[in-house]
Amino acid sequence: MNRLEKVKGKLIVSCQALEDEPLHSSFIMGRMAYAALTGGASGIRANTVSDIQEIKKNVELPIIGIIKKQYGDNQVYITPTMNEIDALAAEGVDIIALDGTKRERPDGNTLENLMKEAKRKYPNQLFMADISSVEEAIEAERVGFDIVGTTLVGYTEYTKGNDPLTELEKVIKAVKVPVIGEGNIDTPIKAKKALEIGAYAVVVGGAITRPQQITKKFVAEMEK
């Protein structure tokens, strides 16, 4: 069984905290990943090499690795260039995920050329495209991605307000590669629904690992 098959039909927990968040710490992300493991998660999605290294000390689960890096005011920040792919490949993760949208990349590279170079350098590496629309999923499959994820549905200017599960269903019908449901899947019912629709696996982040977001939801509801 390869590492991808280990997450089939299962939950992947995204353990991330950015610099402006209360839990920003590789040590905390390592413990967060361990908490996810003990809760039954079958995989982890993680940001930055330092967090990934710490997570590996705590769990032996398949890892989807990303590096969030902002280049000026460019909107593409999930593993945006070859530099971030190189760093993740050097560290060793099961899947490298990167922005697979049609938006211009910070270095002006095209998604197709980036994937050609990445596949040439790392022929045995699995790559996942974080997309926001059906057309992006189709293009990601065409240029050689092994997996697509609906990570950015609703997060691009042209998909704001789109329902993640509706788009997930469309993407699954449009491509042959495994599709991971991700992005605003914030309840157990939605996660189960994603699998029923045909998602290969489901990634849940904020609803499990971002206590400030969870707290805000409670407060907002109580103040109505």
Side-chain angles (χ1 to χ4, degrees):
M1 182 190 285
N2 68 30
R3 300 279 278 177
L4 180 60
E5 285 169 357
K6 286 186 176 178
V7 299
K8 187 172 185 181
K10 301 284 176 48
L11 175 67
I12 298 163
V13 174
S14 182
C15 298
Q16 298 178 46
L18 302 178
E19 286 180 16
D20 60 347
E21 293 182 73
L23 299 189
H24 179 66
S25 151
S26 294
F27 173 78
I28 292 173
M29 289 304 106
R31 301 312 292 169
M32 191 72 86
Y34 183 67
L37 168 69
T38 59
S42 295
I44 301 293
R45 179 168 163 124
N47 170 41
T48 74
V49 168
S50 56
D51 280 12
I52 289 163
Q53 288 171 342
E54 187 63 32
I55 285 166
K56 283 179 177 177
K57 291 178 193 171
N58 285 268
V59 302
E60 289 184 13
L61 291 175
I63 294 174
I64 300 173
I66 64 170
I67 293 176
K68 287 183 174 173
K69 185 165 173 62
Q70 196 78 48
Y71 287 88
D73 58 359
N74 190 275
Q75 293 179 316
V76 172
Y77 63 90
I78 298 174
T79 320
T81 75
M82 200 67 214
N83 291 337
E84 290 77 43
I85 291 174
D86 287 337
L88 289 165
E91 172 53 35
V93 291
D94 302 279
I95 299 164
I96 294 175
L98 54 145
D99 185 303
T101 67
K102 62 186 182 184
R103 298 176 295 184
E104 187 179 349
R105 309 188 81 81
D107 56 0
N109 202 355
T110 65
L111 189 62
E112 183 168 11
N113 286 342
L114 182 62
M115 271 314 292
K116 273 184 185 163
E117 188 184 352
K119 284 283 190 183
R120 180 181 57 75
K121 284 177 89 169
Y122 310 110
N124 300 317
Q125 177 69 57
L126 290 174
F127 289 94
M128 170 173 159
D130 289 342
I131 57 87
S132 71
S133 70
V134 176
E135 63 174 331
E136 289 169 352
I138 293 167
E139 176 65 4
E141 181 178 50
R142 186 188 74 78
V143 302
F145 279 91
D146 307 284
I147 306 153
V148 299
T150 52
T151 319
L152 293 170
V153 170
Y155 291 101
T156 55
E157 283 296 318
Y158 45 91
T159 63
K160 278 195 175 143
N162 287 4
D163 175 63
L165 290 174
T166 305
E167 296 307 304
L168 174 65
E169 191 163 14
K170 289 180 191 169
V171 169
I172 289 165
K173 287 174 180 168
V175 298
K176 292 185 175 69
V177 293
V179 178
I180 291 178
E182 180 176 2
N184 287 314
I185 298 176
D186 53 7
T187 68
I189 290 166
K190 286 182 188 175
K192 186 169 186 286
K193 179 73 174 163
L195 289 182
E196 287 168 356
I197 288 167
Y200 190 87
V202 177
V203 175
V204 177
I208 294 173
T209 57
R210 283 194 159 108
Q212 79 277 30
Q213 277 185 18
I214 301 163
T215 304
K216 274 183 183 172
K217 279 189 176 179
F218 276 88
V219 171
E221 192 63 37
M222 289 165 68
E223 286 178 347
K224 279 181 185 173

mmCIF file of all heavy atoms in Angstrom, residues 170-218:
data_model
loop_
_atom_site.group_PDB
_atom_site.id
_atom_site.type_symbol
_atom_site.label_atom_id
_atom_site.label_comp_id
_atom_site.label_asym_id
_atom_site.label_seq_id
_atom_site.Cartn_x
_atom_site.Cartn_y
_atom_site.Cartn_z
ATOM 1 N N LYS A 170 -18.727 18.653 -8.873
ATOM 2 C CA LYS A 170 -18.437 18.976 -10.285
ATOM 3 C C LYS A 170 -17.013 18.562 -10.660
ATOM 4 O O LYS A 170 -16.772 18.019 -11.739
ATOM 5 C CB LYS A 170 -18.600 20.481 -10.529
ATOM 6 C CG LYS A 170 -20.037 20.988 -10.491
ATOM 7 C CD LYS A 170 -20.023 22.500 -10.741
ATOM 8 C CE LYS A 170 -21.368 23.131 -10.446
ATOM 9 N NZ LYS A 170 -21.271 24.602 -10.445
ATOM 10 N N VAL A 171 -16.081 18.829 -9.758
ATOM 11 C CA VAL A 171 -14.672 18.503 -10.023
ATOM 12 C C VAL A 171 -14.491 16.988 -10.140
ATOM 13 O O VAL A 171 -13.801 16.506 -11.050
ATOM 14 C CB VAL A 171 -13.755 19.093 -8.923
ATOM 15 C CG1 VAL A 171 -12.338 18.534 -9.034
ATOM 16 C CG2 VAL A 171 -13.718 20.618 -9.017
ATOM 17 N N ILE A 172 -15.108 16.240 -9.232
ATOM 18 C CA ILE A 172 -14.995 14.774 -9.256
ATOM 19 C C ILE A 172 -15.480 14.209 -10.590
ATOM 20 O O ILE A 172 -14.885 13.270 -11.138
ATOM 21 C CB ILE A 172 -15.768 14.155 -8.064
ATOM 22 C CG1 ILE A 172 -15.026 14.459 -6.759
ATOM 23 C CG2 ILE A 172 -15.950 12.651 -8.234
ATOM 24 C CD1 ILE A 172 -15.843 14.240 -5.498
ATOM 25 N N LYS A 173 -16.545 14.793 -11.112
ATOM 26 C CA LYS A 173 -17.092 14.329 -12.402
ATOM 27 C C LYS A 173 -16.204 14.724 -13.582
ATOM 28 O O LYS A 173 -16.259 14.109 -14.645
ATOM 29 C CB LYS A 173 -18.500 14.900 -12.614
ATOM 30 C CG LYS A 173 -19.551 14.247 -11.718
ATOM 31 C CD LYS A 173 -20.895 14.931 -11.853
ATOM 32 C CE LYS A 173 -21.942 14.261 -10.951
ATOM 33 N NZ LYS A 173 -23.173 15.065 -10.846
ATOM 34 N N ALA A 174 -15.395 15.763 -13.405
ATOM 35 C CA ALA A 174 -14.632 16.335 -14.522
ATOM 36 C C ALA A 174 -13.234 15.745 -14.711
ATOM 37 O O ALA A 174 -12.653 15.866 -15.788
ATOM 38 C CB ALA A 174 -14.525 17.848 -14.348
ATOM 39 N N VAL A 175 -12.677 15.130 -13.655
ATOM 40 C CA VAL A 175 -11.301 14.614 -13.755
ATOM 41 C C VAL A 175 -11.225 13.140 -13.335
ATOM 42 O O VAL A 175 -12.103 12.638 -12.654
ATOM 43 C CB VAL A 175 -10.316 15.447 -12.889
ATOM 44 C CG1 VAL A 175 -10.256 16.885 -13.364
ATOM 45 C CG2 VAL A 175 -10.666 15.375 -11.403
ATOM 46 N N LYS A 176 -10.117 12.504 -13.746
ATOM 47 C CA LYS A 176 -9.915 11.086 -13.406
ATOM 48 C C LYS A 176 -8.975 10.899 -12.216
ATOM 49 O O LYS A 176 -8.971 9.848 -11.587
ATOM 50 C CB LYS A 176 -9.361 10.339 -14.624
ATOM 51 C CG LYS A 176 -10.355 10.226 -15.777
ATOM 52 C CD LYS A 176 -9.794 9.362 -16.905
ATOM 53 C CE LYS A 176 -10.821 9.137 -18.002
ATOM 54 N NZ LYS A 176 -11.117 10.367 -18.757
ATOM 55 N N VAL A 177 -8.152 11.913 -11.937
ATOM 56 C CA VAL A 177 -7.216 11.792 -10.808
ATOM 57 C C VAL A 177 -7.985 11.880 -9.486
ATOM 58 O O VAL A 177 -9.107 12.400 -9.454
ATOM 59 C CB VAL A 177 -6.121 12.889 -10.847
ATOM 60 C CG1 VAL A 177 -5.207 12.700 -12.039
ATOM 61 C CG2 VAL A 177 -6.730 14.284 -10.820
ATOM 62 N N PRO A 178 -7.411 11.364 -8.387
ATOM 63 C CA PRO A 178 -8.080 11.481 -7.088
ATOM 64 C C PRO A 178 -8.350 12.945 -6.723
ATOM 65 O O PRO A 178 -7.507 13.813 -6.965
ATOM 66 C CB PRO A 178 -7.083 10.861 -6.105
ATOM 67 C CG PRO A 178 -6.240 9.954 -6.937
ATOM 68 C CD PRO A 178 -6.153 10.598 -8.285
ATOM 69 N N VAL A 179 -9.531 13.182 -6.157
ATOM 70 C CA VAL A 179 -9.911 14.536 -5.747
ATOM 71 C C VAL A 179 -10.071 14.553 -4.227
ATOM 72 O O VAL A 179 -10.839 13.771 -3.659
ATOM 73 C CB VAL A 179 -11.224 14.983 -6.413
ATOM 74 C CG1 VAL A 179 -11.619 16.386 -5.930
ATOM 75 C CG2 VAL A 179 -11.106 14.961 -7.933
ATOM 76 N N ILE A 180 -9.331 15.434 -3.577
ATOM 77 C CA ILE A 180 -9.425 15.587 -2.122
ATOM 78 C C ILE A 180 -10.327 16.775 -1.812
ATOM 79 O O ILE A 180 -10.133 17.869 -2.342
ATOM 80 C CB ILE A 180 -8.030 15.747 -1.492
ATOM 81 C CG1 ILE A 180 -7.267 14.411 -1.612
ATOM 82 C CG2 ILE A 180 -8.127 16.175 -0.032
ATOM 83 C CD1 ILE A 180 -5.852 14.437 -1.066
ATOM 84 N N GLY A 181 -11.334 16.549 -0.988
ATOM 85 C CA GLY A 181 -12.234 17.618 -0.571
ATOM 86 C C GLY A 181 -11.580 18.443 0.514
ATOM 87 O O GLY A 181 -11.161 17.909 1.540
ATOM 88 N N GLU A 182 -11.476 19.734 0.272
ATOM 89 C CA GLU A 182 -10.810 20.611 1.250
ATOM 90 C C GLU A 182 -11.337 22.022 1.084
ATOM 91 O O GLU A 182 -11.701 22.436 -0.014
ATOM 92 C CB GLU A 182 -9.290 20.578 1.038
ATOM 93 C CG GLU A 182 -8.539 21.460 2.021
ATOM 94 C CD GLU A 182 -7.023 21.357 1.887
ATOM 95 O OE1 GLU A 182 -6.537 20.636 1.009
ATOM 96 O OE2 GLU A 182 -6.340 22.018 2.676
ATOM 97 N N GLY A 183 -11.361 22.777 2.165
ATOM 98 C CA GLY A 183 -11.783 24.173 2.111
ATOM 99 C C GLY A 183 -13.208 24.342 2.585
ATOM 100 O O GLY A 183 -14.145 23.934 1.910
ATOM 101 N N ASN A 184 -13.373 24.890 3.766
ATOM 102 C CA ASN A 184 -14.706 25.149 4.353
ATOM 103 C C ASN A 184 -15.538 23.888 4.585
ATOM 104 O O ASN A 184 -16.760 23.946 4.622
ATOM 105 C CB ASN A 184 -15.497 26.155 3.498
ATOM 106 C CG ASN A 184 -14.955 27.566 3.660
ATOM 107 O OD1 ASN A 184 -14.697 28.011 4.782
ATOM 108 N ND2 ASN A 184 -14.752 28.253 2.566
ATOM 109 N N ILE A 185 -14.858 22.756 4.734
ATOM 110 C CA ILE A 185 -15.570 21.547 5.166
ATOM 111 C C ILE A 185 -15.453 21.549 6.694
ATOM 112 O O ILE A 185 -14.537 20.984 7.276
ATOM 113 C CB ILE A 185 -14.977 20.289 4.508
ATOM 114 C CG1 ILE A 185 -15.149 20.398 2.991
ATOM 115 C CG2 ILE A 185 -15.668 19.019 5.033
ATOM 116 C CD1 ILE A 185 -14.540 19.285 2.190
ATOM 117 N N ASP A 186 -16.408 22.262 7.306
ATOM 118 C CA ASP A 186 -16.228 22.629 8.715
ATOM 119 C C ASP A 186 -17.139 21.897 9.699
ATOM 120 O O ASP A 186 -17.227 22.270 10.867
ATOM 121 C CB ASP A 186 -16.377 24.147 8.885
ATOM 122 C CG ASP A 186 -17.675 24.675 8.301
ATOM 123 O OD1 ASP A 186 -18.521 23.870 7.880
ATOM 124 O OD2 ASP A 186 -17.841 25.911 8.266
ATOM 125 N N THR A 187 -17.813 20.836 9.233
ATOM 126 C CA THR A 187 -18.604 20.006 10.157
ATOM 127 C C THR A 187 -18.413 18.533 9.790
ATOM 128 O O THR A 187 -18.118 18.214 8.630
ATOM 129 C CB THR A 187 -20.113 20.323 10.076
ATOM 130 O OG1 THR A 187 -20.612 19.904 8.790
ATOM 131 C CG2 THR A 187 -20.407 21.800 10.286
ATOM 132 N N PRO A 188 -18.600 17.627 10.755
ATOM 133 C CA PRO A 188 -18.518 16.196 10.450
ATOM 134 C C PRO A 188 -19.505 15.782 9.363
ATOM 135 O O PRO A 188 -19.187 14.928 8.526
ATOM 136 C CB PRO A 188 -18.857 15.530 11.791
ATOM 137 C CG PRO A 188 -18.468 16.532 12.826
ATOM 138 C CD PRO A 188 -18.769 17.866 12.212
ATOM 139 N N ILE A 189 -20.675 16.401 9.339
ATOM 140 C CA ILE A 189 -21.692 16.060 8.336
ATOM 141 C C ILE A 189 -21.182 16.409 6.934
ATOM 142 O O ILE A 189 -21.340 15.628 5.989
ATOM 143 C CB ILE A 189 -23.032 16.775 8.642
ATOM 144 C CG1 ILE A 189 -23.662 16.155 9.890
ATOM 145 C CG2 ILE A 189 -23.996 16.697 7.469
ATOM 146 C CD1 ILE A 189 -24.791 16.955 10.506
ATOM 147 N N LYS A 190 -20.554 17.587 6.787
ATOM 148 C CA LYS A 190 -20.006 17.982 5.477
ATOM 149 C C LYS A 190 -18.869 17.048 5.057
ATOM 150 O O LYS A 190 -18.734 16.722 3.875
ATOM 151 C CB LYS A 190 -19.505 19.435 5.523
ATOM 152 C CG LYS A 190 -20.618 20.474 5.541
ATOM 153 C CD LYS A 190 -20.026 21.876 5.541
ATOM 154 C CE LYS A 190 -21.097 22.927 5.757
ATOM 155 N NZ LYS A 190 -20.512 24.283 5.883
ATOM 156 N N ALA A 191 -18.052 16.635 6.006
ATOM 157 C CA ALA A 191 -16.944 15.732 5.698
ATOM 158 C C ALA A 191 -17.470 14.385 5.192
ATOM 159 O O ALA A 191 -16.956 13.830 4.215
ATOM 160 C CB ALA A 191 -16.072 15.528 6.933
ATOM 161 N N LYS A 192 -18.503 13.878 5.843
ATOM 162 C CA LYS A 192 -19.120 12.616 5.422
ATOM 163 C C LYS A 192 -19.748 12.765 4.043
ATOM 164 O O LYS A 192 -19.615 11.897 3.175
ATOM 165 C CB LYS A 192 -20.177 12.196 6.453
ATOM 166 C CG LYS A 192 -20.794 10.831 6.191
ATOM 167 C CD LYS A 192 -21.621 10.383 7.392
ATOM 168 C CE LYS A 192 -22.129 8.968 7.220
ATOM 169 N NZ LYS A 192 -23.226 8.867 6.247
ATOM 170 N N LYS A 193 -20.403 13.905 3.829
ATOM 171 C CA LYS A 193 -21.037 14.186 2.539
ATOM 172 C C LYS A 193 -19.989 14.222 1.417
ATOM 173 O O LYS A 193 -20.219 13.714 0.317
ATOM 174 C CB LYS A 193 -21.785 15.520 2.616
ATOM 175 C CG LYS A 193 -22.471 15.959 1.322
ATOM 176 C CD LYS A 193 -23.699 15.147 1.018
ATOM 177 C CE LYS A 193 -24.435 15.699 -0.200
ATOM 178 N NZ LYS A 193 -25.386 14.729 -0.754
ATOM 179 N N ALA A 194 -18.831 14.813 1.714
ATOM 180 C CA ALA A 194 -17.749 14.887 0.719
ATOM 181 C C ALA A 194 -17.344 13.485 0.262
ATOM 182 O O ALA A 194 -17.139 13.246 -0.936
ATOM 183 C CB ALA A 194 -16.556 15.639 1.293
ATOM 184 N N LEU A 195 -17.244 12.556 1.204
ATOM 185 C CA LEU A 195 -16.902 11.175 0.850
ATOM 186 C C LEU A 195 -18.016 10.530 0.040
ATOM 187 O O LEU A 195 -17.754 9.803 -0.924
ATOM 188 C CB LEU A 195 -16.617 10.341 2.100
ATOM 189 C CG LEU A 195 -15.328 10.634 2.857
ATOM 190 C CD1 LEU A 195 -15.192 9.678 4.039
ATOM 191 C CD2 LEU A 195 -14.101 10.518 1.951
ATOM 192 N N GLU A 196 -19.256 10.792 0.437
ATOM 193 C CA GLU A 196 -20.404 10.213 -0.281
ATOM 194 C C GLU A 196 -20.447 10.701 -1.732
ATOM 195 O O GLU A 196 -20.820 9.958 -2.635
ATOM 196 C CB GLU A 196 -21.707 10.556 0.444
ATOM 197 C CG GLU A 196 -21.893 9.781 1.746
ATOM 198 C CD GLU A 196 -23.021 10.325 2.615
ATOM 199 O OE1 GLU A 196 -23.620 11.354 2.257
ATOM 200 O OE2 GLU A 196 -23.301 9.703 3.659
ATOM 201 N N ILE A 197 -20.062 11.960 -1.946
ATOM 202 C CA ILE A 197 -20.018 12.537 -3.293
ATOM 203 C C ILE A 197 -18.956 11.839 -4.141
ATOM 204 O O ILE A 197 -19.058 11.758 -5.357
ATOM 205 C CB ILE A 197 -19.729 14.058 -3.213
ATOM 206 C CG1 ILE A 197 -20.941 14.820 -2.683
ATOM 207 C CG2 ILE A 197 -19.319 14.631 -4.563
ATOM 208 C CD1 ILE A 197 -20.623 16.257 -2.296
ATOM 209 N N GLY A 198 -17.912 11.343 -3.469
ATOM 210 C CA GLY A 198 -16.845 10.660 -4.196
ATOM 211 C C GLY A 198 -15.446 11.190 -3.956
ATOM 212 O O GLY A 198 -14.511 10.838 -4.671
ATOM 213 N N ALA A 199 -15.279 12.046 -2.943
ATOM 214 C CA ALA A 199 -13.938 12.545 -2.620
ATOM 215 C C ALA A 199 -13.038 11.378 -2.209
ATOM 216 O O ALA A 199 -13.473 10.442 -1.545
ATOM 217 C CB ALA A 199 -14.005 13.565 -1.487
ATOM 218 N N TYR A 200 -11.789 11.450 -2.622
ATOM 219 C CA TYR A 200 -10.807 10.410 -2.279
ATOM 220 C C TYR A 200 -10.507 10.438 -0.778
ATOM 221 O O TYR A 200 -10.367 9.414 -0.133
ATOM 222 C CB TYR A 200 -9.522 10.646 -3.076
ATOM 223 C CG TYR A 200 -8.537 9.511 -2.979
ATOM 224 C CD1 TYR A 200 -8.607 8.429 -3.857
ATOM 225 C CD2 TYR A 200 -7.526 9.513 -2.022
ATOM 226 C CE1 TYR A 200 -7.709 7.384 -3.768
ATOM 227 C CE2 TYR A 200 -6.618 8.472 -1.929
ATOM 228 C CZ TYR A 200 -6.712 7.399 -2.805
ATOM 229 O OH TYR A 200 -5.825 6.361 -2.710
ATOM 230 N N ALA A 201 -10.423 11.660 -0.242
ATOM 231 C CA ALA A 201 -10.180 11.887 1.186
ATOM 232 C C ALA A 201 -10.663 13.294 1.492
ATOM 233 O O ALA A 201 -11.046 14.038 0.587
ATOM 234 C CB ALA A 201 -8.699 11.747 1.520
ATOM 235 N N VAL A 202 -10.648 13.655 2.775
ATOM 236 C CA VAL A 202 -11.133 14.976 3.179
ATOM 237 C C VAL A 202 -10.102 15.637 4.090
ATOM 238 O O VAL A 202 -9.596 15.006 5.028
ATOM 239 C CB VAL A 202 -12.487 14.873 3.920
ATOM 240 C CG1 VAL A 202 -12.947 16.243 4.408
ATOM 241 C CG2 VAL A 202 -13.554 14.252 3.020
ATOM 242 N N VAL A 203 -9.800 16.902 3.802
ATOM 243 C CA VAL A 203 -8.931 17.693 4.675
ATOM 244 C C VAL A 203 -9.792 18.673 5.464
ATOM 245 O O VAL A 203 -10.595 19.399 4.891
ATOM 246 C CB VAL A 203 -7.877 18.489 3.869
ATOM 247 C CG1 VAL A 203 -7.069 19.404 4.805
ATOM 248 C CG2 VAL A 203 -6.940 17.550 3.121
ATOM 249 N N VAL A 204 -9.612 18.666 6.770
ATOM 250 C CA VAL A 204 -10.271 19.650 7.637
ATOM 251 C C VAL A 204 -9.181 20.374 8.419
ATOM 252 O O VAL A 204 -8.277 19.753 8.969
ATOM 253 C CB VAL A 204 -11.277 18.975 8.603
ATOM 254 C CG1 VAL A 204 -11.892 20.019 9.545
ATOM 255 C CG2 VAL A 204 -12.376 18.258 7.823
ATOM 256 N N GLY A 205 -9.271 21.699 8.449
ATOM 257 C CA GLY A 205 -8.269 22.491 9.151
ATOM 258 C C GLY A 205 -8.858 23.292 10.290
ATOM 259 O O GLY A 205 -8.968 22.822 11.417
ATOM 260 N N GLY A 206 -9.266 24.518 9.963
ATOM 261 C CA GLY A 206 -9.714 25.467 10.978
ATOM 262 C C GLY A 206 -10.740 24.941 11.963
ATOM 263 O O GLY A 206 -10.691 25.265 13.156
ATOM 264 N N ALA A 207 -11.663 24.117 11.495
ATOM 265 C CA ALA A 207 -12.725 23.616 12.379
ATOM 266 C C ALA A 207 -12.183 22.698 13.471
ATOM 267 O O ALA A 207 -12.846 22.452 14.476
ATOM 268 C CB ALA A 207 -13.780 22.867 11.561
ATOM 269 N N ILE A 208 -10.949 22.206 13.284
ATOM 270 C CA ILE A 208 -10.337 21.334 14.285
ATOM 271 C C ILE A 208 -9.165 22.021 14.980
ATOM 272 O O ILE A 208 -9.007 21.915 16.194
ATOM 273 C CB ILE A 208 -9.838 20.021 13.626
ATOM 274 C CG1 ILE A 208 -11.032 19.199 13.099
ATOM 275 C CG2 ILE A 208 -9.016 19.182 14.607
ATOM 276 C CD1 ILE A 208 -10.638 17.969 12.285
ATOM 277 N N THR A 209 -8.354 22.758 14.217
ATOM 278 C CA THR A 209 -7.056 23.190 14.747
ATOM 279 C C THR A 209 -6.884 24.693 14.958
ATOM 280 O O THR A 209 -5.793 25.138 15.296
ATOM 281 C CB THR A 209 -5.922 22.699 13.821
ATOM 282 O OG1 THR A 209 -6.143 23.205 12.490
ATOM 283 C CG2 THR A 209 -5.870 21.186 13.773
ATOM 284 N N ARG A 210 -7.947 25.470 14.743
ATOM 285 C CA ARG A 210 -7.799 26.920 14.959
ATOM 286 C C ARG A 210 -8.793 27.397 16.019
ATOM 287 O O ARG A 210 -9.896 27.831 15.703
ATOM 288 C CB ARG A 210 -7.998 27.666 13.633
ATOM 289 C CG ARG A 210 -6.778 27.584 12.721
ATOM 290 C CD ARG A 210 -6.874 28.592 11.592
ATOM 291 N NE ARG A 210 -5.581 28.888 11.020
ATOM 292 C CZ ARG A 210 -5.179 28.469 9.815
ATOM 293 N NH1 ARG A 210 -5.971 27.739 9.071
ATOM 294 N NH2 ARG A 210 -3.985 28.793 9.359
ATOM 295 N N PRO A 211 -8.400 27.318 17.280
ATOM 296 C CA PRO A 211 -9.341 27.627 18.359
ATOM 297 C C PRO A 211 -9.917 29.035 18.315
ATOM 298 O O PRO A 211 -11.053 29.253 18.717
ATOM 299 C CB PRO A 211 -8.532 27.399 19.636
ATOM 300 C CG PRO A 211 -7.126 27.238 19.230
ATOM 301 C CD PRO A 211 -7.101 26.854 17.795
ATOM 302 N N GLN A 212 -9.139 30.008 17.797
ATOM 303 C CA GLN A 212 -9.692 31.367 17.742
ATOM 304 C C GLN A 212 -10.855 31.442 16.760
ATOM 305 O O GLN A 212 -11.848 32.133 17.000
ATOM 306 C CB GLN A 212 -8.605 32.415 17.441
ATOM 307 C CG GLN A 212 -8.151 32.552 16.005
ATOM 308 C CD GLN A 212 -7.091 31.525 15.614
ATOM 309 O OE1 GLN A 212 -7.040 30.421 16.136
ATOM 310 N NE2 GLN A 212 -6.247 31.899 14.680
ATOM 311 N N GLN A 213 -10.755 30.700 15.636
ATOM 312 C CA GLN A 213 -11.859 30.656 14.662
ATOM 313 C C GLN A 213 -13.088 29.983 15.263
ATOM 314 O O GLN A 213 -14.212 30.449 15.099
ATOM 315 C CB GLN A 213 -11.444 29.851 13.411
ATOM 316 C CG GLN A 213 -10.656 30.635 12.391
ATOM 317 C CD GLN A 213 -10.400 29.803 11.137
ATOM 318 O OE1 GLN A 213 -11.067 28.800 10.894
ATOM 319 N NE2 GLN A 213 -9.435 30.222 10.351
ATOM 320 N N ILE A 214 -12.849 28.878 15.948
ATOM 321 C CA ILE A 214 -13.958 28.123 16.561
ATOM 322 C C ILE A 214 -14.646 28.986 17.620
ATOM 323 O O ILE A 214 -15.875 29.043 17.700
ATOM 324 C CB ILE A 214 -13.431 26.804 17.177
ATOM 325 C CG1 ILE A 214 -12.752 25.947 16.097
ATOM 326 C CG2 ILE A 214 -14.558 26.019 17.836
ATOM 327 C CD1 ILE A 214 -11.854 24.843 16.639
ATOM 328 N N THR A 215 -13.834 29.670 18.426
ATOM 329 C CA THR A 215 -14.372 30.547 19.463
ATOM 330 C C THR A 215 -15.242 31.648 18.859
ATOM 331 O O THR A 215 -16.343 31.932 19.343
ATOM 332 C CB THR A 215 -13.220 31.181 20.276
ATOM 333 O OG1 THR A 215 -12.403 30.148 20.805
ATOM 334 C CG2 THR A 215 -13.767 32.021 21.424
ATOM 335 N N LYS A 216 -14.746 32.266 17.773
ATOM 336 C CA LYS A 216 -15.489 33.341 17.096
ATOM 337 C C LYS A 216 -16.867 32.870 16.659
ATOM 338 O O LYS A 216 -17.849 33.615 16.752
ATOM 339 C CB LYS A 216 -14.700 33.825 15.869
ATOM 340 C CG LYS A 216 -13.672 34.882 16.170
ATOM 341 C CD LYS A 216 -13.014 35.328 14.864
ATOM 342 C CE LYS A 216 -11.915 36.339 15.125
ATOM 343 N NZ LYS A 216 -11.151 36.641 13.897
ATOM 344 N N LYS A 217 -16.940 31.633 16.152
ATOM 345 C CA LYS A 217 -18.231 31.103 15.687
ATOM 346 C C LYS A 217 -19.230 31.008 16.850
ATOM 347 O O LYS A 217 -20.391 31.360 16.707
ATOM 348 C CB LYS A 217 -18.045 29.706 15.058
ATOM 349 C CG LYS A 217 -17.563 29.751 13.627
ATOM 350 C CD LYS A 217 -17.624 28.368 13.014
ATOM 351 C CE LYS A 217 -17.236 28.430 11.549
ATOM 352 N NZ LYS A 217 -17.245 27.108 10.905
ATOM 353 N N PHE A 218 -18.755 30.505 17.970
ATOM 354 C CA PHE A 218 -19.609 30.402 19.154
ATOM 355 C C PHE A 218 -20.075 31.788 19.604
ATOM 356 O O PHE A 218 -21.269 32.019 19.864
ATOM 357 C CB PHE A 218 -18.864 29.711 20.293
ATOM 358 C CG PHE A 218 -18.908 28.204 20.236
ATOM 359 C CD1 PHE A 218 -17.958 27.490 19.519
ATOM 360 C CD2 PHE A 218 -19.909 27.496 20.878
ATOM 361 C CE1 PHE A 218 -17.998 26.109 19.454
ATOM 362 C CE2 PHE A 218 -19.959 26.114 20.823
ATOM 363 C CZ PHE A 218 -19.000 25.417 20.109
#
